[in-house]
Amino acid sequence: MVSKSYIQVLALLAGVTAVAARGLPNLHRPYLAPSVACATGTGPKGFLTVDDKAHHGAQVHGTFADVAGGTSSACLADTTASVSDCRAVVNDIRANNSTIKVAGGFCLNWWEGGCLGRVCGSKSQEAYEADSQFVVDTMTNSILNTCVSNGESGAAADCADVSSTCGRYRFSLQAYEGI
């Protein structure tokens, strides 16, 4: 027979353990925001979110294609993101200095100031994997220099409809509005 005192001690230990575990990341959640809030941004470590197709239905202001590289890009809606904040995001991604890998249907996100950079993998594949330098070059040449510098958010993908989830990947630079 289990005594009432023994059950109370077990209940107390379970409660203490549950409170202590609140500070640990929940690995069963598919997406995690940074556990420590940063005043200016994420730094080189991005955070994972579900691909919510943030640009779905966005007005496309101009479409550009890089036939040799197989990348299409488009300037989307007007943005409040500054070139300097987006350049900081690109530098955060560059600091990874290795392969970036994201599960299909999810996005890795980096933000600095008022700019959010996203690297999304298509739902049609298990994971998208690319060298961080490819991501940085594509974001810089196809989005930062052509769209953000003109006050517009932008996206680049390996298919013509950059506002959809077609292809294997989609990169974007847009205004950061919080989590």
Side-chain angles (χ1 to χ4, degrees):
M1 179 179 273
V2 178
S3 72
K4 185 176 180 180
S5 298
Y6 181 72
I7 292 173
Q8 289 174 334
V9 168
L10 285 177
L12 179 65
L13 286 174
V16 169
T17 303
V19 169
R22 287 183 188 156
L24 299 173
N26 182 349
L27 300 178
H28 298 288
R29 271 189 287 175
Y31 44 91
L32 297 170
S35 59
V36 177
C38 296
T40 60
T42 55
K45 189 172 185 179
F47 61 95
L48 190 65
T49 60
V50 172
D51 183 3
D52 59 1
K53 298 183 282 184
H55 298 298
H56 186 67
Q59 180 183 5
V60 176
H61 292 185
T63 303
F64 316 96
D66 175 4
V67 179
T71 300
S72 295
S73 63
C75 296
L76 304 170
D78 292 340
T79 186
T80 57
S82 71
V83 171
S84 60
D85 287 346
C86 288
R87 192 174 318 282
V89 167
V90 169
N91 288 336
D92 287 345
I93 297 169
R94 179 181 286 114
N96 283 281
N97 203 25
S98 63
T99 299
I100 293 176
K101 188 172 185 177
V102 60
F106 290 87
C107 299
L108 276 172
N109 303 269
W110 291 264
W111 69 271
E112 292 291 342
C115 183
L116 174 68
R118 305 182 87 203
V119 175
C120 304
S122 170
K123 293 178 182 180
S124 65
Q125 63 188 353
E126 188 171 316
Y128 171 71
E129 189 173 335
D131 180 71
S132 61
Q133 192 60 48
F134 169 75
V135 174
V136 165
D137 290 345
T138 303
M139 281 185 156
T140 300
N141 299 327
S142 299
I143 305 170
L144 184 65
N145 294 342
T146 58
C147 300
V148 177
S149 63
N150 291 316
E152 297 172 315
S153 62
D158 61 341
C159 64
D161 185 4
V162 298
S163 63
S164 75
T165 57
C166 64
R168 298 176 304 119
Y169 67 85
R170 188 177 71 257
F171 308 149
S172 65
L173 290 172
Q174 62 197 57
Y176 176 68
E177 299 169 0
I179 299 172

